[in-house]
Tab-separated table of all heavy atoms in Angstrom:
chain	number	residue	atom	x	y	z
A	27	ASN	N	107.813	131.580	114.458
A	27	ASN	CA	106.474	131.884	113.971
A	27	ASN	C	105.603	130.666	114.247
A	27	ASN	O	105.794	129.601	113.662
A	27	ASN	CB	106.506	132.204	112.471
A	27	ASN	CG	105.166	132.674	111.960
A	27	ASN	OD1	104.155	132.008	112.124
A	27	ASN	ND2	105.156	133.833	111.330
A	28	LEU	N	104.642	130.821	115.153
A	28	LEU	CA	103.856	129.678	115.607
A	28	LEU	C	102.847	129.202	114.575
A	28	LEU	O	102.337	128.086	114.686
A	28	LEU	CB	103.136	130.040	116.917
A	28	LEU	CG	104.055	130.464	118.073
A	28	LEU	CD1	103.238	130.890	119.274
A	28	LEU	CD2	105.008	129.341	118.430
A	29	LEU	N	102.551	130.029	113.581
A	29	LEU	CA	101.597	129.627	112.548
A	29	LEU	C	102.276	128.803	111.452
A	29	LEU	O	101.763	127.772	111.024
A	29	LEU	CB	100.921	130.863	111.946
A	29	LEU	CG	100.064	131.699	112.911
A	29	LEU	CD1	99.459	132.879	112.181
A	29	LEU	CD2	98.974	130.833	113.543
A	30	SER	N	103.452	129.276	110.999
A	30	SER	CA	104.168	128.559	109.940
A	30	SER	C	105.120	127.508	110.492
A	30	SER	O	105.654	126.703	109.741
A	30	SER	CB	104.958	129.550	109.083
A	30	SER	OG	105.973	130.170	109.844
A	31	HIS	N	105.365	127.544	111.822
A	31	HIS	CA	106.282	126.614	112.503
A	31	HIS	C	107.745	126.826	112.101
A	31	HIS	O	108.573	125.953	112.332
A	31	HIS	CB	105.888	125.159	112.252
A	31	HIS	CG	104.490	124.831	112.677
A	31	HIS	ND1	104.122	124.730	113.997
A	31	HIS	CD2	103.367	124.610	111.942
A	31	HIS	CE1	102.837	124.440	114.070
A	31	HIS	NE2	102.353	124.367	112.848
A	32	LEU	N	108.046	127.981	111.500
A	32	LEU	CA	109.430	128.278	111.139
A	32	LEU	C	110.157	128.893	112.334
A	32	LEU	O	109.577	129.626	113.126
A	32	LEU	CB	109.485	129.226	109.947
A	32	LEU	CG	109.074	128.640	108.597
A	32	LEU	CD1	109.155	129.708	107.514
A	32	LEU	CD2	109.942	127.444	108.230
A	33	ASN	N	111.458	128.603	112.422
A	33	ASN	CA	112.270	129.048	113.543
A	33	ASN	C	113.572	129.626	113.021
A	33	ASN	O	114.249	128.996	112.206
A	33	ASN	CB	112.530	127.859	114.477
A	33	ASN	CG	113.320	128.234	115.706
A	33	ASN	OD1	114.484	128.604	115.621
A	33	ASN	ND2	112.689	128.115	116.862
A	34	LEU	N	113.929	130.823	113.482
A	34	LEU	CA	115.200	131.453	113.138
A	34	LEU	C	116.027	131.607	114.413
A	34	LEU	O	115.467	131.908	115.476
A	34	LEU	CB	114.986	132.830	112.508
A	34	LEU	CG	114.137	132.881	111.240
A	34	LEU	CD1	113.906	134.329	110.819
A	34	LEU	CD2	114.795	132.107	110.108
A	35	HIS	N	117.334	131.416	114.307
A	35	HIS	CA	118.125	131.564	115.520
A	35	HIS	C	119.574	131.920	115.225
A	35	HIS	O	120.076	131.739	114.116
A	35	HIS	CB	118.073	130.282	116.362
A	35	HIS	CG	118.907	129.162	115.822
A	35	HIS	ND1	120.213	128.964	116.196
A	35	HIS	CD2	118.624	128.190	114.934
A	35	HIS	CE1	120.698	127.915	115.557
A	35	HIS	NE2	119.763	127.431	114.783
A	36	MET	N	120.239	132.454	116.255
A	36	MET	CA	121.678	132.733	116.231
A	36	MET	C	122.281	132.150	117.507
A	36	MET	O	121.657	132.203	118.572
A	36	MET	CB	121.940	134.243	116.163
A	36	MET	CG	121.455	134.903	114.894
A	36	MET	SD	121.895	136.673	114.842
A	36	MET	CE	120.936	137.282	116.229
A	37	ASP	N	123.486	131.586	117.386
A	37	ASP	CA	124.119	130.922	118.522
A	37	ASP	C	125.609	131.244	118.592
A	37	ASP	O	126.251	131.486	117.564
A	37	ASP	CB	123.983	129.396	118.411
A	37	ASP	CG	122.555	128.927	118.591
A	37	ASP	OD1	122.099	128.884	119.738
A	37	ASP	OD2	121.921	128.606	117.583
A	38	VAL	N	126.147	131.171	119.803
A	38	VAL	CA	127.575	131.177	120.044
A	38	VAL	C	127.885	129.988	120.948
A	38	VAL	O	127.252	129.828	122.001
A	38	VAL	CB	128.062	132.475	120.719
A	38	VAL	CG1	129.554	132.397	120.993
A	38	VAL	CG2	127.740	133.678	119.861
A	39	ALA	N	128.829	129.137	120.537
A	39	ALA	CA	129.204	127.963	121.326
A	39	ALA	C	130.709	127.974	121.553
A	39	ALA	O	131.481	128.312	120.646
A	39	ALA	CB	128.795	126.676	120.617
A	40	VAL	N	131.121	127.623	122.762
A	40	VAL	CA	132.550	127.574	123.092
A	40	VAL	C	132.858	126.275	123.843
A	40	VAL	O	132.069	125.827	124.666
A	40	VAL	CB	132.988	128.792	123.944
A	40	VAL	CG1	132.913	130.067	123.144
A	40	VAL	CG2	132.144	128.909	125.208
A	41	TYR	N	133.995	125.676	123.521
A	41	TYR	CA	134.492	124.524	124.259
A	41	TYR	C	135.992	124.418	124.028
A	41	TYR	O	136.561	125.144	123.205
A	41	TYR	CB	133.769	123.230	123.855
A	41	TYR	CG	133.799	122.901	122.384
A	41	TYR	CD1	134.795	122.097	121.843
A	41	TYR	CD2	132.792	123.373	121.528
A	41	TYR	CE1	134.811	121.777	120.497
A	41	TYR	CE2	132.805	123.061	120.177
A	41	TYR	CZ	133.811	122.265	119.670
A	41	TYR	OH	133.820	121.962	118.326
A	42	ARG	N	136.635	123.509	124.753
A	42	ARG	CA	138.092	123.403	124.706
A	42	ARG	C	138.514	121.968	124.406
A	42	ARG	O	137.816	121.022	124.781
A	42	ARG	CB	138.702	123.863	126.037
A	42	ARG	CG	140.205	123.653	126.152
A	42	ARG	CD	140.768	124.203	127.427
A	42	ARG	NE	140.789	125.661	127.409
A	42	ARG	CZ	141.453	126.406	128.285
A	42	ARG	NH1	142.130	125.832	129.266
A	42	ARG	NH2	141.436	127.719	128.203
A	43	GLY	N	139.645	121.833	123.744
A	43	GLY	CA	140.225	120.530	123.498
A	43	GLY	C	141.644	120.459	124.015
A	43	GLY	O	142.436	121.395	123.823
A	44	LYS	N	141.984	119.364	124.688
A	44	LYS	CA	143.350	119.135	125.151
A	44	LYS	C	144.040	118.174	124.192
A	44	LYS	O	143.507	117.119	123.848
A	44	LYS	CB	143.340	118.546	126.566
A	44	LYS	CG	144.728	118.283	127.120
A	44	LYS	CD	144.667	117.705	128.529
A	44	LYS	CE	146.058	117.441	129.071
A	44	LYS	NZ	146.013	116.856	130.435
A	45	VAL	N	145.224	118.551	123.752
A	45	VAL	CA	145.969	117.713	122.815
A	45	VAL	C	146.536	116.504	123.555
A	45	VAL	O	147.237	116.650	124.556
A	45	VAL	CB	147.098	118.505	122.148
A	45	VAL	CG1	147.952	117.589	121.268
A	45	VAL	CG2	146.531	119.650	121.323
A	46	VAL	N	146.197	115.312	123.068
A	46	VAL	CA	146.710	114.082	123.673
A	46	VAL	C	147.729	113.399	122.766
A	46	VAL	O	148.471	112.514	123.221
A	46	VAL	CB	145.554	113.110	123.994
A	46	VAL	CG1	144.682	113.670	125.103
A	46	VAL	CG2	144.706	112.805	122.755
A	47	LYS	N	147.790	113.799	121.498
A	47	LYS	CA	148.784	113.254	120.573
A	47	LYS	C	149.401	114.396	119.768
A	47	LYS	O	149.002	114.662	118.632
A	47	LYS	CB	148.142	112.228	119.636
A	47	LYS	CG	147.684	110.956	120.333
A	47	LYS	CD	147.148	109.936	119.328
A	47	LYS	CE	146.751	108.643	120.017
A	47	LYS	NZ	146.227	107.639	119.058
A	48	PRO	N	150.402	115.086	120.336
A	48	PRO	CA	151.019	116.210	119.616
A	48	PRO	C	151.696	115.792	118.324
A	48	PRO	O	151.839	116.603	117.417
A	48	PRO	CB	152.034	116.762	120.634
A	48	PRO	CG	152.250	115.665	121.620
A	48	PRO	CD	150.963	114.908	121.683
A	49	GLU	N	152.091	114.524	118.217
A	49	GLU	CA	152.703	114.066	116.973
A	49	GLU	C	151.699	114.045	115.826
A	49	GLU	O	152.075	114.058	114.643
A	49	GLU	CB	153.319	112.663	117.154
A	49	GLU	CG	152.326	111.525	117.363
A	49	GLU	CD	151.893	111.364	118.819
A	49	GLU	OE1	152.167	112.272	119.638
A	49	GLU	OE2	151.281	110.327	119.125
A	50	VAL	N	150.402	114.014	116.166
A	50	VAL	CA	149.346	114.038	115.154
A	50	VAL	C	148.891	115.471	114.887
A	50	VAL	O	148.710	115.880	113.737
A	50	VAL	CB	148.143	113.177	115.602
A	50	VAL	CG1	146.974	113.342	114.637
A	50	VAL	CG2	148.554	111.716	115.699
A	51	VAL	N	148.710	116.225	115.959
A	51	VAL	CA	148.128	117.561	115.860
A	51	VAL	C	149.178	118.623	115.566
A	51	VAL	O	148.958	119.563	114.798
A	51	VAL	CB	147.385	117.908	117.170
A	51	VAL	CG1	146.872	119.336	117.144
A	51	VAL	CG2	146.246	116.919	117.396
A	52	GLY	N	150.307	118.503	116.185
A	52	GLY	CA	151.301	119.563	116.173
A	52	GLY	C	151.620	119.918	117.619
A	52	GLY	O	151.038	119.388	118.555
A	53	PHE	N	152.547	120.814	117.818
A	53	PHE	CA	153.007	121.102	119.173
A	53	PHE	C	152.110	122.130	119.851
A	53	PHE	O	152.523	123.242	120.172
A	53	PHE	CB	154.474	121.552	119.125
A	53	PHE	CG	155.381	120.450	118.672
A	53	PHE	CD1	155.917	120.454	117.393
A	53	PHE	CD2	155.667	119.385	119.510
A	53	PHE	CE1	156.744	119.430	116.967
A	53	PHE	CE2	156.502	118.357	119.095
A	53	PHE	CZ	157.031	118.377	117.813
A	54	PHE	N	150.855	121.718	120.072
A	54	PHE	CA	149.893	122.521	120.798
A	54	PHE	C	149.591	121.852	122.136
A	54	PHE	O	149.631	120.629	122.256
A	54	PHE	CB	148.582	122.682	120.023
A	54	PHE	CG	148.749	123.323	118.675
A	54	PHE	CD1	148.036	122.853	117.578
A	54	PHE	CD2	149.596	124.399	118.505
A	54	PHE	CE1	148.175	123.438	116.338
A	54	PHE	CE2	149.747	124.998	117.258
A	54	PHE	CZ	149.037	124.517	116.180
A	55	GLU	N	149.246	122.673	123.118
A	55	GLU	CA	148.848	122.158	124.427
A	55	GLU	C	147.336	122.047	124.528
A	55	GLU	O	146.795	121.007	124.916
A	55	GLU	CB	149.391	123.064	125.529
A	55	GLU	CG	149.117	122.549	126.930
A	55	GLU	CD	149.773	123.425	127.980
A	55	GLU	OE1	150.393	124.450	127.612
A	55	GLU	OE2	149.660	123.099	129.172
A	56	THR	N	146.654	123.122	124.187
A	56	THR	CA	145.181	123.146	124.182
A	56	THR	C	144.702	123.976	123.003
A	56	THR	O	145.469	124.771	122.424
A	56	THR	CB	144.609	123.758	125.480
A	56	THR	OG1	145.077	125.107	125.601
A	56	THR	CG2	145.004	122.945	126.704
A	57	THR	N	143.434	123.795	122.670
A	57	THR	CA	142.802	124.608	121.636
A	57	THR	C	141.415	125.015	122.122
A	57	THR	O	140.648	124.179	122.603
A	57	THR	CB	142.676	123.840	120.314
A	57	THR	OG1	143.982	123.531	119.812
A	57	THR	CG2	141.930	124.668	119.272
A	58	ASN	N	141.108	126.298	122.005
A	58	ASN	CA	139.759	126.797	122.278
A	58	ASN	C	138.974	126.868	120.975
A	58	ASN	O	139.425	127.511	120.018
A	58	ASN	CB	139.807	128.184	122.930
A	58	ASN	CG	140.395	128.138	124.325
A	58	ASN	OD1	140.201	127.181	125.062
A	58	ASN	ND2	141.140	129.172	124.693
A	59	PHE	N	137.815	126.225	120.953
A	59	PHE	CA	136.939	126.218	119.781
A	59	PHE	C	135.781	127.190	120.035
A	59	PHE	O	135.082	127.075	121.044
A	59	PHE	CB	136.374	124.823	119.535
A	59	PHE	CG	137.394	123.770	119.211
A	59	PHE	CD1	138.135	123.169	120.219
A	59	PHE	CD2	137.614	123.374	117.899
A	59	PHE	CE1	139.074	122.183	119.941
A	59	PHE	CE2	138.552	122.390	117.599
A	59	PHE	CZ	139.283	121.805	118.617
A	60	THR	N	135.580	128.119	119.111
A	60	THR	CA	134.466	129.062	119.208
A	60	THR	C	133.665	129.017	117.915
A	60	THR	O	134.228	129.138	116.832
A	60	THR	CB	134.952	130.495	119.458
A	60	THR	OG1	135.789	130.512	120.621
A	60	THR	CG2	133.784	131.441	119.673
A	61	ARG	N	132.346	128.846	118.058
A	61	ARG	CA	131.457	128.754	116.892
A	61	ARG	C	130.420	129.875	116.923
A	61	ARG	O	129.771	130.088	117.954
A	61	ARG	CB	130.736	127.412	116.853
A	61	ARG	CG	131.645	126.200	116.715
A	61	ARG	CD	130.821	124.913	116.688
A	61	ARG	NE	131.649	123.731	116.566
A	61	ARG	CZ	132.057	123.207	115.416
A	61	ARG	NH1	131.682	123.785	114.270
A	61	ARG	NH2	132.811	122.139	115.377
A	62	PHE	N	130.261	130.558	115.796
A	62	PHE	CA	129.193	131.539	115.610
A	62	PHE	C	128.299	131.021	114.486
A	62	PHE	O	128.809	130.708	113.399
A	62	PHE	CB	129.757	132.907	115.227
A	62	PHE	CG	130.759	133.459	116.198
A	62	PHE	CD1	132.116	133.204	116.038
A	62	PHE	CD2	130.354	134.241	117.266
A	62	PHE	CE1	133.053	133.712	116.918
A	62	PHE	CE2	131.283	134.753	118.161
A	62	PHE	CZ	132.638	134.490	117.980
A	63	SER	N	127.008	130.927	114.728
A	63	SER	CA	126.145	130.332	113.703
A	63	SER	C	124.781	131.006	113.646
A	63	SER	O	124.336	131.645	114.603
A	63	SER	CB	125.956	128.830	113.959
A	63	SER	OG	125.242	128.611	115.159
A	64	ALA	N	124.135	130.833	112.502
A	64	ALA	CA	122.747	131.247	112.298
A	64	ALA	C	122.055	130.120	111.546
A	64	ALA	O	122.688	129.391	110.770
A	64	ALA	CB	122.669	132.552	111.508
A	65	GLY	N	120.763	129.971	111.778
A	65	GLY	CA	120.071	128.852	111.139
A	65	GLY	C	118.582	129.069	110.999
A	65	GLY	O	118.005	130.012	111.557
A	66	ILE	N	117.969	128.180	110.244
A	66	ILE	CA	116.528	128.172	110.052
A	66	ILE	C	116.031	126.759	110.296
A	66	ILE	O	116.677	125.780	109.896
A	66	ILE	CB	116.136	128.670	108.637
A	66	ILE	CG1	114.612	128.724	108.493
A	66	ILE	CG2	116.772	127.810	107.539
A	66	ILE	CD1	114.167	129.425	107.233
A	67	GLY	N	114.915	126.645	110.976
A	67	GLY	CA	114.397	125.327	111.320
A	67	GLY	C	112.890	125.237	111.169
A	67	GLY	O	112.204	126.231	110.923
C-alpha cells in the first residue's frame, strides 16, 4: 500500500547444507532446508 507504506508478503526459500562434522550433527550426508513464511513490513 503506497499510501500507508505497509507491505505484506509470502515467501518460499530453499537451500542445502553438507554435513562436515557427523560426530556433531549425526550420521547425515546432506540436509535440504525449506522455509515457508509470511510477513508484514
Side-chain angles (χ1 to χ4, degrees):
N27 186 305
L28 302 176
L29 297 180
S30 65
H31 303 288
L32 289 179
N33 182 294
L34 302 174
H35 75 91
M36 295 184 296
D37 291 283
V38 178
V40 292
Y41 55 92
R42 174 176 288 193
K44 180 180 180 181
V45 175
V46 292
K47 292 184 177 180
E49 69 275 13
V50 173
V51 175
F53 294 105
F54 301 139
E55 184 175 3
T56 60
T57 296
N58 292 325
F59 297 80
T60 305
R61 298 180 180 273
F62 304 91
S63 66
I66 183 170

